[in-house]
């Protein structure tokens, strides 16, 4: 029994030990699993923290990038505004060089290397058989074989020489033909350069002599070389009047869209958006007025600085903008600025200190009161005047003796006298006498720069002894309509009848009649000339209109 109990006890102890071991292992496994779980939880929390950190960093980086983009956009706007404010400083003041127009006859060297080296002459040693046999070989027939080999070698050598000579001859012929082609091309290049340079020399000579076309071409090239910012148009027309040494120019201005609508950009962090900061209406209009002023002054500066006084003494210009009439939607070409400046006045300007808008007031320019809103003014120079053919002026007043009789003058001199009168009367602009044929009945063309009453005025001078027929007044009206003139003036040495005056009264003041009595007074007042008009019979007593 004692043995059985002892065996059972050992069994029980073994089971207990096994159970204890299993429990220890389970506790160890549970502890390891717990550690893993906690490690995973710690890793998850760390990953969440890192994700939040990354998101904050990304958001901060996005804020930085968006703010930088706003700063970049603002800098671009500032740069555009600075460019517009510095238009006058970008004037092309470099003296134009006729030498820059000349062409140099650039002729490349003849390319002899492309034909390769001369064809080499065959070397006899490359063909010659070994030396003649000696001794026993010679006695056994070697000599005969040698002679045969020598003949064959000489034949091959001669054939090689002939081939080399033909190849070299072909090479030399190719060189000869190529040299001829090269020489002919060189002659053409020299001839073309000579012809071009001759034209440049003629252009320069014509320019220095004051030829109209040459001066116009010269000024156009000067202005073409002037670089404006992007968005500026390059439309332009110009004309040269040699007698008063005057340049007329009509050019296109940029529309008001050249002025940025924005004054800057700002990044709003709370909304994560870039806001546009609008430029104030006052600032936009002021900047556009400055652009108009600077562009006009820049044209003056470039013309006066690159032309001599002997050729150009004054510049008259119109600045227009191509737009659409808001009332009709049709294309429109309103004039925003017009002025005429002499060189003497120009030389009194200091471009380092002047204010462009203020300078225009000093120059008595006619400027749109609201250029941004495209409010037009009447141009001083009307380029449609090209339809008239003008003749050179002369001093008709100087031809008058003491108290001359106007009826003794010839019509040609009378027309020039009327032109001088209107120049002295004080109409701003200019007066010019037209040719006596195919001028639509127009004797004198006058431009008046007054923005309200100005424009093109056509004048007819009638050297009559009796009443001017009403048909003459109607003809003037028709000529005004054909030529789009704003006013018409009919001047006569005699008088007008009731029908003429009635016709004029219905034309809203667009026609003025000047009779002999008034003409005498005007000549005395403005030209200091006392004249007589010995009419066959006195005109009706009536005071005529005044200019």
């Amino acid at each position: 029994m004692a043995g059985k109990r002892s065996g059972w006890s050992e069994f029980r102890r073994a089971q207990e030990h096994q159970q204890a071991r299993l429990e220890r292992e389970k506790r160890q496994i549970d502890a390891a699993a717990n550690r893993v779980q906690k490690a995973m939880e710690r890793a998850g929390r760390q990953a969440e923290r890192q994700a939040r950190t990354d998101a904050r960093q990304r958001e901060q980086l996005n804020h930085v990038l968006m703010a930088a983009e706003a700063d970049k956009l603002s800098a671009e706007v500032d740069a555009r505004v600075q460019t517009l404010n510095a238009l006058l400083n970008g004037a092309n003041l470099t003296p134009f060089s006729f030498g820059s127009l000349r062409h140099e006859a650039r002729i490349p060297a003849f390319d002899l290397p492309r034909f390769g080296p001369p064809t080499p002459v065959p070397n006899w040693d490359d063909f010659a058989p070994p030396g003649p046999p000696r001794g026993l070989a010679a006695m056994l027939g070697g000599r005969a074989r040698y002679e045969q080999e020598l003949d064959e070698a000489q034949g091959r050598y001669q054939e090689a020489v002939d081939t080399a000579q033909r190849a070299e001859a072909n090479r030399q012929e190719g060189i000869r033909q190529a040299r001829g082609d090269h020489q002919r091309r060189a002659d053409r290049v020299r001839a073309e350069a000579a012809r071009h340079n001759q034209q440049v020399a003629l252009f320069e000579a014509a320019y220095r002599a004051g030829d109209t076309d040459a001066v116009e071409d010269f000024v156009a090239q000067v202005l073409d070389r002037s670089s404006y910012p992007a968005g500026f148009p390059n439309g332009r027309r110009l004309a040269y009047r040699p007698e008063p040494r005057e340049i007329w120019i009509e050019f296109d201005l940029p529309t008001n869209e050249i002025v940025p609508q924005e004054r800057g950009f700002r990044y709003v962090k709370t909304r994560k958006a870039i806001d546009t900061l609008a430029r104030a209406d006052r600032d936009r209009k002021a900047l556009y007025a400055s652009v108009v002023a600077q562009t006009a002054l820049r044209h003056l500066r470039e013309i006066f600085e690159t032309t001599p006084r002997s050729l150009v003494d004054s510049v008259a210009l119109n600045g227009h903008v191509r737009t659409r009439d808001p009332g009709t939607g049709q294309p429109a070409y309103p004039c925003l600025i017009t002025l005429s400046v002499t060189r003497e006045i120009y030389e009194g300007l200091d471009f380092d200190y002047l204010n462009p808008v203020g300078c225009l007031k000093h120059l008595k320019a006619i400027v749109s009161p609201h250029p941004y809103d495209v409010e037009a003014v009447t141009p001083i120079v009307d380029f449609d005047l090209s339809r008239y053919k003008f003749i050179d002026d002369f001093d008709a007043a100087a031809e008058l003796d003491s108290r001359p009789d106007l009826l003794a003058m010839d019509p040609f001199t009378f027309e020039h006298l009327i032109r001088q009168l209107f120049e002295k009367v004080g109409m701003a602009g200019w007066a010019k006498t037209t040719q006596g044929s195919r001028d639509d009945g127009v004797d004198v063309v006058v431009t008046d720069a007054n923005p309200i009453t100005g424009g093109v005025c056509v004048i007819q001078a009638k050297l009559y002894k009796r009443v001017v027929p009403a048909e003459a007044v109607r003809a003037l009206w028709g000529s005004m309509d054909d030529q789009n003139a704003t006013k018409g003036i009919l001047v006569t040495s005699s008088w007008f009848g009731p029908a003429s005056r009635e016709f004029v009264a219905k034309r809203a003041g667009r026609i003025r009649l000047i009779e002999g009595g008034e003409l005498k007074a005007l000549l005395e007042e403005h030209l200091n000339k006392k004249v007589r008009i010995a009419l066959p019979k006195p005109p009706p007593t009536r005071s005529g209109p005044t200019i």
Side-chain angles (χ1 to χ4, degrees):
M1 294 294 290
K4 290 182 178 180
R5 286 196 298 270
S6 175
W8 176 253
S9 297
E10 291 177 0
F11 174 75
R12 291 291 301 272
R13 284 196 298 274
Q15 282 187 324
E16 290 173 357
H17 288 163
Q18 178 69 17
Q19 184 65 31
R21 183 177 62 77
L22 292 174
E23 290 177 355
R24 285 196 302 274
E25 290 179 352
K26 182 177 182 301
R27 287 195 297 273
Q28 290 175 353
I29 291 172
D30 291 341
N34 187 45
R35 288 196 298 273
V36 170
Q37 180 64 31
K38 290 182 178 179
M40 292 177 62
E41 291 175 355
R42 286 196 301 273
R45 290 193 295 271
Q46 184 176 359
E48 290 177 359
R49 288 194 298 271
Q50 185 63 45
R52 289 193 295 270
T53 300
D54 292 345
R56 286 194 298 271
Q57 290 178 345
R58 285 195 299 270
E59 186 174 7
Q60 290 174 356
L61 178 60
N62 186 61
H63 289 323
V64 172
L65 293 176
M66 294 291 282
E69 179 66 15
D71 291 342
K72 175 187 173 185
L73 294 173
S74 297
E76 290 174 351
V77 171
D78 291 342
R80 288 168 58 193
V81 172
Q82 290 176 9
T83 300
L84 295 178
N85 282 325
L87 279 176
L88 194 52
N89 297 332
N92 175 23
L93 305 181
T94 303
F96 182 80
S97 170
F98 285 96
S100 65
L101 298 179
R102 294 185 173 88
H103 288 176
E104 180 181 351
R106 298 184 181 277
I107 302 169
F110 180 67
D111 186 13
L112 182 60
R114 70 187 178 93
F115 293 94
T119 305
V121 178
N123 188 348
W124 165 248
D125 292 339
D126 297 333
F127 296 86
R134 299 176 181 276
L136 181 60
M139 293 188 307
L140 295 176
R143 184 71 182 181
R145 286 194 302 273
Y146 169 76
E147 293 293 339
Q148 182 180 355
E149 292 173 357
L150 181 60
D151 289 342
E152 293 174 355
Q154 289 176 340
R156 290 193 301 273
Y157 172 72
Q158 187 60 48
E159 183 178 354
V161 169
D162 293 343
T163 300
Q165 289 177 344
R166 285 193 300 271
E168 181 61 19
N170 291 336
R171 175 178 173 275
Q172 292 296 334
E173 177 61 19
I175 293 174
R176 186 189 66 78
Q177 292 181 2
R179 284 191 184 278
D181 294 340
H182 180 269
Q183 185 61 46
R184 284 187 289 273
R185 286 194 297 271
D187 291 343
R188 284 196 299 271
V189 170
R190 292 190 185 96
E192 290 171 0
R195 282 193 297 270
H196 174 82
N197 293 338
Q198 184 181 20
Q199 292 299 317
V200 172
L202 292 175
F203 173 31
E204 181 176 6
Y207 167 75
R208 301 196 185 284
D211 176 78
T212 300
D213 291 340
V215 174
E216 291 175 357
D217 191 10
F218 176 89
V219 174
Q221 293 203 42
V222 169
L223 298 177
D224 286 342
R225 294 175 182 224
S226 184
S227 177
Y228 282 84
F232 272 71
N234 55 10
R236 183 193 312 118
R237 291 193 299 168
L238 63 88
Y240 177 59
R241 299 174 64 211
E243 179 60 27
R245 305 197 305 279
E246 183 175 39
I247 290 289
W248 290 359
I249 181 167
E250 178 183 271
F251 59 90
D252 290 357
L253 289 162
T255 65
N256 56 21
E257 294 177 357
I258 199 71
V259 176
Q261 298 290 320
E262 316 86 359
R263 65 177 174 85
F265 296 85
R266 178 179 58 198
Y267 175 60
V268 182
K269 190 174 182 179
T270 56
R271 290 188 288 105
K272 300 179 182 180
I274 295 177
D275 285 353
T276 299
L277 306 178
R279 189 174 299 276
D281 288 348
R282 179 185 64 256
D283 295 338
R284 290 202 310 270
K285 293 178 179 180
L287 181 54
Y288 187 65
S290 175
V291 167
V292 171
Q294 289 185 81
T295 306
L297 293 175
R298 180 164 166 170
H299 278 78
L300 289 180
R301 197 176 186 189
E302 290 175 339
I303 294 173
F304 277 123
E305 293 294 336
T306 56
T307 57
R309 180 186 297 271
S310 60
L311 292 180
V312 177
D313 192 53
S314 63
V315 176
L317 59 81
N318 301 330
H320 293 253
V321 62
R322 297 188 183 276
T323 183
R324 294 245 175 207
D325 188 317
T328 65
Q330 295 298 317
Y333 194 53
C335 179
L336 300 186
I337 180 171
T338 180
L339 74 157
S340 179
V341 179
T342 64
R343 187 177 289 270
E344 181 180 3
I345 294 176
Y346 168 80
E347 290 177 347
L349 305 178
D350 190 335
F351 286 91
D352 291 334
Y353 299 99
L354 62 77
N355 174 276
V357 175
C359 181
L360 294 183
K361 296 180 180 178
H362 169 73
L363 298 177
K364 296 181 174 57
I366 301 174
V367 186
S368 169
H370 303 101
Y372 191 87
D373 300 322
V374 200
E375 186 173 328
V377 297
T378 302
I380 290 177
V381 176
D382 182 358
F383 269 80
D384 286 341
L385 294 175
S386 59
R387 61 179 172 263
Y388 300 109
K389 293 184 177 180
F390 298 114
I391 59 177
D392 292 337
D393 299 330
F394 75 96
D395 190 353
E399 305 266 329
L400 299 179
D401 298 326
S402 177
R403 291 191 65 80
D405 183 1
L406 290 185
L407 295 181
M409 298 177 67
D410 62 82
F412 178 79
T413 305
F414 183 67
E415 291 173 4
H416 278 275
L417 180 65
I418 298 305
R419 171 190 56 79
Q420 287 182 271
L421 170 62
F422 279 94
E423 287 179 340
K424 291 292 185 179
V425 162
M427 296 185 79
W430 62 277
K432 193 73 175 175
T433 310
T434 64
Q435 290 184 349
S437 62
R438 293 182 296 176
D439 58 1
D440 302 316
V442 179
D443 297 320
V444 179
V445 179
V446 174
T447 59
D448 186 353
N450 189 296
I452 299 176
T453 63
V456 175
C457 176
V458 294
I459 302 172
Q460 289 185 4
K462 301 297 183 183
L463 191 60
Y464 281 18
K465 296 180 180 180
R466 295 178 175 79
V467 64
V468 177
E471 287 74 13
V473 183
R474 295 190 182 93
L476 175 61
W477 179 255
S479 179
M480 291 169 56
D481 186 58
D482 291 341
Q483 308 300 336
N484 296 319
T486 57
K487 292 185 293 186
I489 300 177
L490 193 56
V491 185
T492 184
S493 55
S494 59
W495 70 94
F496 300 95
S500 297
R501 293 182 175 277
E502 182 181 355
F503 183 86
V504 170
K506 297 178 180 179
R507 298 304 181 271
R510 291 185 60 193
I511 297 181
R512 305 296 296 274
L513 303 179
I514 299 178
E515 296 180 327
E518 184 183 0
L519 177 59
K520 290 170 58 176
L522 291 171
L523 289 172
E524 182 174 0
E525 178 183 355
H526 297 285
L527 295 181
N528 197 26
K529 293 294 182 180
K530 294 183 178 182
V531 299
R532 295 181 301 112
I533 304 177
L535 296 173
K537 67 174 184 177
T541 303
R542 180 177 58 245
S543 60
T546 58
I547 293 180

